[in-house]
Every structure is written in C-alpha cells, then in structure tokens.
Amino acid sequence: MTHHPAFELLRDEHIAEANSQAQLFRHKKTGAEVLSLVNDDENKVFGITFKTPPDDSTGVAHILEHSVLCGSRKYPVKKPFVELLKGSMHTFLNAMTFPDKTAYPVASQNLKDFYNLVDVYLDAVFFPLISEDTFRQEGWHYELEDVDAPLVYKGVVFNEMKGAFSSPDAVMRDLAQRSLYPDTTYGKSSGGDPKAIPDLTYQKFKRFHETFYHPSNTRAFFSGDDDATQRLAILDEYFTQFEPIEVDAEIKLQPRFNAPRQIVATYAGNKDEEKARDGMVSVNWMIDPPGDRIEALSHGMLSYLLVGNPAAPLRKKLTESGLGEGMTGSGIGQGLRQPMATFGLKGVDPADGEKVEALILATLEEIAGQGFPQDQLEAAVNTFEFSLRENNSGSYPRGMTYMFAALNGWLHGGDPLRQLAFEGALSELKRKASEGHFEREIRRLLLENTHRTTVMLSADPEQGARETAREVEILAGVRAGMDEAAVRATISETERLKALQEAVDDPQQLAKIPMLTLEDLPRETRKVPVEIGNLADTRIFSHDLPTLGIVYLDLGFDLHVLDRELLPYLPLFGRALLQTGTSKEDFVSLTQRIGRATGGIAQHRGLSAKQGSDGSAAWFFLSGKAVPDKLGEMLAIMGDVLLDARLDNRERFRQLALEEKAGFEARLVPSGNAIADTRLKSGFTEASWVAEQMGGVSYLQFLRALVKRIDSDWPSVEAALLRIRDTLFQRGHMVVNVTADGVLLSRARGELDGFLGGLPNGTPPMTDWSVQFQPRSEGLIIPAQVNYVGKGANLRALGFSMTGASSVVLKFLNTTYLWDKIRVQGGAYGGASRFDLTSGNFTFLSYRDPNLLKTLDAYDGAAKALRTEIGQGDLTRSIIGVIGDVDSYEFPDAKGYSSMWRQLTGTTDEIRQQRRDEILGASAADFRAMADAVEAVTRQGHVVVVGGEAAIKTANEQRPGLLEVSKVM
C-alpha cells in the first residue's frame, strides 16, 4: 500500500481483533505521529490529541479546549463548533480534557461531512483565534453591570467546575487522585478548581497553546472505510506549515511513598438529620505502568474480579458490611501513566472511616490467601473475553474506543498497536489465571504497595456558605481597590463583551464553514428488517442483521397490568431479579453462572407516549446476549430469574435499596437538569408521570420511606414484590425481540419455543392508572452553587399541532439564541429546549447555571427570537443537523431494539417517512408556528428549578409565589 511521501511508515500490520489494517506513520518534517486504521466501518472517526500536562489547578487545558473551537484563521466566526452541531451529520462531535491530554474526536457516516469536520477541527486546534474576549467568555472574567451592582465572576468553565465541585463524588475523585500524585501533573485539577481559575492570566493561557498545540506534540488517529492516502494528505496540509520544535510534555513519574497516608476533608453538603451517614471513604493505590499487553489486560480483569459485579468478593464484602450504603471508586483504571486503583464506600458514618479502610485491606488479604474460586475465574474470563470480542461501544463510534485504547500506551512512548491486539495476551492470561496469578497481583499491586492513601470525606453544612462568603469577600476586595475610572472601565468592558456575544457573524465568513447541501441528504427513512409473528402464543419480532455470531434477546412485559402503587418498586424489583439468587443458588452463584454462559443479562424499563393516544407504552425488559451454543443456558437462567428469584431475601433487598438511594442522591447534583426535566414533565402526560414515579424526586422519596419499611414492615414490601412477579410475568401481554444473523434466527426460535412454553400463560387485565395531572412550579433545594432551570408545558394541551419540522426550529433555537443567552452570555455550561412530537411535551432546560431569573427571562424571549427572519443558510444547516440526529449510527443490537420499540409505540415506517419529509421541507412558516407555541409556554408554562437554597429564596423574594419550595437534600 503506497502512502504520502511526507510521512515515514513505521509499522504496517493487520490487527485481526479490530478487523483493521493498522499503519503507524511519523511526519518527516515535524515528527507528528499518525495511527491509521483501514477497515469496513462506515462510521468514520478522526481524532487529534495533544499532551497537555497542567502545572496548576487553574483549568488552563480545559479552558483552552473550549476556546480553540470558538473561531480560527480559516473560519473566523464566533462559534464554528456550534455551526457544526447545527448543520452536520456527525455521529460524534466534541472535545475532552484529561489529566494529561486533550483530545478532539469527530465521527460521521457521510464522507463529505467527515472531511468537513476534520478540516474545521484541524484549523481550530492549530490556528485558533483565542482572543482575550474568548478567554474571558469561556474561562473567567469580572462582570459589573452598573455602579451599584455587585462585582461577580462569570465564565463557562468557571461555572461548569462550580457545578462539578458541588458533587461529593466529584470532590472525592479529585481528592483521591491528587492525594496519590502530589509531585506531578496528576496532583492538579486539570478541569480547574473554581477557587484557582481566577488566577489564570490570558498570557499564560496563550503560552499554553503555543507550547503544546503543535504537530511535534501530536498524536493523530483515523479509523474507517475512507481513503487512507487522503487522510495523510489532509494532515500534511496542516503539519507542513510548522517547523519542528522540542516540546517538554513528558508526564513525570511520581516518586513512591515510603508509607501510606491519610487525608481527612469535607464537602459542602447537608447533614443527615437522622443518622451520621454523610461520609465517604476511598482507599487508593498508585501502581506501576503495565509493562506489556498481558499486564494491562490483567489490571482490567483483576478489577472486574474484585468489584466488577455485585457478587465480586470485595464489592460484596463492602456492601454487606453495614458500614455504608454503596460502593465508590472505579477499581483499577488505565488512563494515567502510573495507573490508579481505588475502592471505597459512600453513605458512611465518618467515625467508621478507619473501619472501612481496615475492611478493604483485610478482605484483600483474605482473597489473596484463599484465592478466587474456579467458577468465579471462569465467569470473569468469559465476561471479559466476550466484551473484548463484541467491542460494542454503544452510542460511541467503535473507532473512538480504538483511539483511546491506543493512546493509553502511545501517549507515553509506548506501542499503540499493542493496545489493540489482545488474542495472544488473553490466551496467556487465561493460562496464568488458574496458576494463582491474580492472587499474586493483589499482593504485588495492593497489599505490599506502600504508595497508598485513604481519603475520608464528610459533609459540612456550613462549607457552602463559607465558600460563597469567601468569594464575595475576594470580589468585594477587588471592587474596593477600583477607583472611579476602573469601575467605569469594568462596566464598559462588561457591556462590550455582551455586545460582542450578541453580535451576528458576517454571512460571508459564516459561508466559509464547509457544509453539506440538501441534495447530499438521503430522502428515504432507513428501515430495519423485521419479521413479526407469534411463537407459543407470544408476539415475536425477528431482525436479520449481522451480529458477529451473537444472539441478542429482549423479553418484554407490559407494565399496564400492574396497579399504579406498584410502579415505584420496579427499579429495585428489576435489580432483585438478578441480585438475590434463586431457590437453587445464591446470588453469587447466579452471577457466576451468568458470567460463564452469556455476555450479560440486564433489566431495564421502556417508557414513551404512544402515537395517537393519551396513554403510554410502559414495559419491563429482561435482555441478554450469548453465542448460539449458550443460548439454551441463557434462556434457562432467564427462566430462573423471572420465576424463582429470591424476592424474600430481606437482607439482600435492604442492601439494594440502600445502594439505589445512595446512587440517586449522588446523581442529584451532576444530573440536576434531568431531575428538573422529569419533575416538570410529570404533570403533563402519563408516560412522564410514570417516569417520575420510577426515576424522579417522587422515586427518591419512595426509596427513603422504603428503606425504613424494610425494617418496620417487611411483609408488606415482600408482598408487593411477589405481586409484581405473579402479575407481570405471564405470556398474555409479553413480547420477544430477537436480533441475530439470519441462520441463527431459526435456531433461536426453536430454543425460544420450549422456553416460552414454560412461562405462565395468563392474560391479566390492564389497569387504569387514572393519573390526575397537576403541574406545579417548584424549587427543589440541593447543596449546590449552580442551578438547573426548567420551564415547559404540553403543546398539545395548549392547542398546538406540530410537525416533524419543529425539530428543525429547535435545532436552530438551541444552537443560536439559547446557546448565546444561556451559555455565552449567562455563563451556564449549557442550555437547550426539548420537544417530543409524540407526547407534545416541550421544555427549556439549563445546566450548571449561575442564574435563575435571568435564565427564565431568556426562555421568555425565545418566541421573539424565532420570529426573526431566518436565512436560507441557517435553515439548511438546521435541516442537515436534524437529519443527522435522525440517522444516528446504531450497532445491530440497537437497531433491532429500536425497531421493536417503534412497534410498541405505534411509530410506523410511514409515520417516520412523513416526519422526515416534514424535516426536509421545513420553512419559515414552521418557525412562526413554533414561535406561537413557545409564546404560549411563556404565558402558561410551569417552572421547576433544582438548585441552591439562596438562589431559590432570592428568586421567590423578587417574584413572590414563583416556586413552591422543598428541600431534596
């Protein structure tokens, strides 16, 4: 295979595990390295990565990651990144800051679109404008609106990290890492500590780019079915404009500790009123870089063996100890040069911190001494091997998994190809597993390793107020140091920056951003092959798709047979099916049996409005995947799980309930926008009300009460669980969904016939949930320094009938007006609108938002913005972006599931085609129609805010009666 003369070919190998021809190149002039994978993946991936080790916690690498995408030499507009979000068919488009690197990956199934994305990203990273105004907007700046207003900090990253550090889990992760690497770049907060971000100067920001964003410090990556020679030509066009330089970006090694260390710290949070269970404990180790692929795989498998599933011995011992409510820590990671291992508990009494540490060490000693049972080793090896071979990356393009795997060694001078091949290493590891390898590794990596820290974290109810007061004090000091001229200058600078943020890009400059045309878009909706039939009196959907010899199976049960008071039990009921054992085996044996025979069995729920109905599609699913020879065993396991789970296992169910509660509480701060959205929509439609019962604030309240009832009234809890099983798992309202290669489908049907015959054949009546919708405006208080602001209504209930073109309008609204008002000017990390055509639900939402009332005012101005005449270029970009969303890439198993779900919600191919036609035909009239609907939301919509107590209180003082206030945490 010939290659571009500007590059030196270093390696050329076929990597069977990635089904790719892998070529490693070095750019002759600059030394840039390029890994090029040629394969048959239509979802093409490009990524460019730089080593970016920060030397402080000002967030310089993170702020720069935001800023380079705000205009470049070739594309001198305010937000080319947003224009791509609006008008590209990308399957991935983002950038990521890590502790030691910054990566810029893109992906698309459309070749022309892919090349467009690559060009914009290359120009962005190598020739960004990064003006001081961009630095202020994305990083931080002082804002002063008039002489009587307080001086405040603003900045997208500043507020993003305020939100991040409002999460106790994020505080623990940051402290754990920093504790292990005090003398290296890993001892800094690469995302930025809000207390340190204002120390960053524009000059240092610029120097950071000049130092690290250079081809001599580049790792570039391609994967997919595009032309390999063209890849190099595109890169050389940029690389050749630079002269080689020496870049000192080496990640220094942390010297080893002679003895373990202990760190005691606090986070801003409320004390548990009933018991002191607000603590978190994490025991952490720094381990040596893996010497070869076997050792790298060994780290991952050992992590799985210890904590990778509920029956893993260390995880089981911790969760059964009664010392905490759920696991914290991620096991053994692979992202750092010197990897980090971390295990711990949350929901701990701070007084028990040392007990948790002692339990972890004692359990590791016990495992190392007794060894892993053979069944557990076989289950772990099978699960690990299945995952490696399937390489199902879900919503991520598969090529991105290859890129980040390669970077693990490549970034630090290692062999990137070694990270992609695994057959030889896996075979050797399987041999060593039965010879005590993992027991020896526990001793070598953990027990005999003195480079260990124990971090103990507890809630301090005064910390948030102290931090706020300290920030106010600092700002007051800055304000006091300003003379009259400085005050006027700051006000003028605030006004000037806002004017720049509101300014419209020059249409001629905007037109330089490459884009597809409407003629490039496929007119027909993609269809998934489906055969609908009956088997053992059960409806079955079959999808003939290339699944690499894996059978994917979904068993669905209609939740409408359950009484409404049973719905909140469903998440825990589903977990209990797989994590309590059966009458024949405990849950450890069951978990190992699943691991030995399958690629995994999982439970989940599907919820949606139905086409042409006020009702809902509400289903419980048990899903599994297996190779054909193990399909019978997988079905046997599923049968045992459905009909024989130990729902009477009180102690195990209590552990699950505590884990579920702790997990939900941990999500409140980082996922406040989802909480607000769920709560807001629960007053509009049946499906949304059900979602709130099983995943919103109402569910959290149910969990808290349930934890007490398990101790005080277990018989009623057990009776509810048994009632769900006896009512739900009957064939009368069941569906089966099978996705596999054609030859496997008939074999699967034969196995399924016997399995279905063993299930109860009843047809319980459908129940009437009789939901009385009562939308309310609420302020839900959490211990956070940022807010998540929602406002919405059901457009159908307000008398509006929308079409598929509404998604084009909202694509434009989200990437123009709301992006500018909420993120750029408001300083929030994000803001957008959502609309579901099937239900009619419409919501505005913001994310990590320093504002509340200003955000609501911005929402109320959206209708006016939509009435501004839209240009043809903006309209075309928005259409292209929506078609890209509609045609998002899916792996075969996801295609099969999506096809089934459309059947259950009544979304026919004819409806899909009609909506596609409406999208492609969107016009200015659709913008006017949506403007009218959004204006109705302004007048009649309801508000839900998840945020800090002070912000919610102030909002109610300024607009009395705006929010009904309640404390969630």
Side-chain angles (χ1 to χ4, degrees), residues 15-37:
I15 307 292
E17 296 89 332
N19 191 30
S20 301
Q21 190 66 29
Q23 294 184 308
L24 181 63
F25 296 96
R26 179 183 293 120
H27 190 245
K28 294 176 181 177
K29 181 179 180 184
T30 63
E33 294 185 10
V34 182
L35 178 57
S36 176
L37 302 186

Side-chain angles (χ1 to χ4, degrees), residues 33 41 60 67 69 110 134 187 263 312 327 381 385 389 512 532 593 640-641 643 672 729 751:
E33 294 185 10
D41 192 347
V60 57
S67 300
L69 296 169
N110 182 291
T134 298
I263 293 90
M327 280 282 298
V381 168
E385 183 172 2
R389 296 193 190 287
K512 293 180 179 179
I532 305 174
R593 183 179 164 205
D640 289 345
V641 163
L643 303 180
F729 297 147
E751 300 265 16

Side-chain angles (χ1 to χ4, degrees), residues 442-513:
I442 290 173
R443 292 202 179 280
R444 184 178 73 89
L445 299 177
L446 304 175
L447 292 172
E448 297 171 358
N449 181 357
T450 57
H451 196 107
R452 184 180 86 229
T453 64
T454 299
V455 179
M456 301 181 185
L457 196 62
S458 62
D460 181 348
E462 308 300 326
Q463 183 168 322
R466 285 200 310 273
E467 290 174 349
T468 299
R470 176 58 179 157
E471 182 178 305
V472 169
E473 180 184 351
I474 291 171
L475 288 165
V478 174
R479 177 71 169 77
M482 294 180 176
D483 57 21
E484 185 178 346
V487 169
R488 287 199 303 270
T490 304
I491 294 172
S492 176
E493 189 63 28
T494 298
E495 293 172 346
R496 189 186 66 81
L497 184 58
K498 288 186 176 181
L500 282 173
Q501 291 168 340
E502 293 175 354
V504 178
D505 283 317
D506 180 344
Q508 289 185 327
Q509 300 295 350
L510 201 58
K512 293 180 179 179
I513 296 177

Side-chain angles (χ1 to χ4, degrees), residues 368-543:
Q370 296 180 359
F372 291 102
Q374 188 61 33
D375 284 353
Q376 188 177 6
L377 283 173
E378 289 178 7
V381 168
N382 180 73
T383 300
F384 212 72
E385 183 172 2
F386 194 104
S387 178
L388 285 170
R389 296 193 190 287
E390 182 190 27
N391 195 19
N392 189 327
S393 50
S395 60
Y396 259 38
R398 183 170 278 157
M400 278 182 58
T401 67
Y402 296 145
M403 182 181 91
F404 284 114
L407 283 168
N408 280 336
W410 192 16
L411 193 74
H412 309 297
D415 179 0
L417 274 63
R418 187 186 71 185
Q419 307 298 321
L420 303 179
F422 60 79
E423 289 289 1
L426 180 63
S427 178
E428 178 63 12
L429 191 58
K430 288 162 71 174
R431 182 190 66 78
K432 295 171 70 173
S434 60
E435 300 175 353
H437 167 76
F438 290 111
E439 292 81 357
R440 290 191 298 273
E441 286 294 272
I442 290 173
R443 292 202 179 280
R444 184 178 73 89
L445 299 177
L446 304 175
L447 292 172
E448 297 171 358
N449 181 357
T450 57
H451 196 107
R452 184 180 86 229
T453 64
T454 299
V455 179
M456 301 181 185
L457 196 62
S458 62
D460 181 348
E462 308 300 326
Q463 183 168 322
R466 285 200 310 273
E467 290 174 349
T468 299
R470 176 58 179 157
E471 182 178 305
V472 169
E473 180 184 351
I474 291 171
L475 288 165
V478 174
R479 177 71 169 77
M482 294 180 176
D483 57 21
E484 185 178 346
V487 169
R488 287 199 303 270
T490 304
I491 294 172
S492 176
E493 189 63 28
T494 298
E495 293 172 346
R496 189 186 66 81
L497 184 58
K498 288 186 176 181
L500 282 173
Q501 291 168 340
E502 293 175 354
V504 178
D505 283 317
D506 180 344
Q508 289 185 327
Q509 300 295 350
L510 201 58
K512 293 180 179 179
I513 296 177
M515 61 181 286
L516 302 174
T517 66
L518 296 183
E519 288 68 36
D520 294 318
L521 306 181
R523 313 299 295 189
E524 300 296 320
T525 291
R526 294 179 177 181
K527 297 178 181 178
V528 176
V530 57
E531 179 184 338
I532 305 174
N534 283 281
L535 189 66
D537 300 321
T538 304
R539 191 164 34 146
I540 182 169
F541 305 100
S542 302
H543 311 279

Side-chain angles (χ1 to χ4, degrees), residues 212-223:
F212 297 115
Y213 281 61
H214 189 282
S216 298
N217 187 39
T218 289
R219 308 293 190 278
F221 176 90
F222 279 95
S223 177

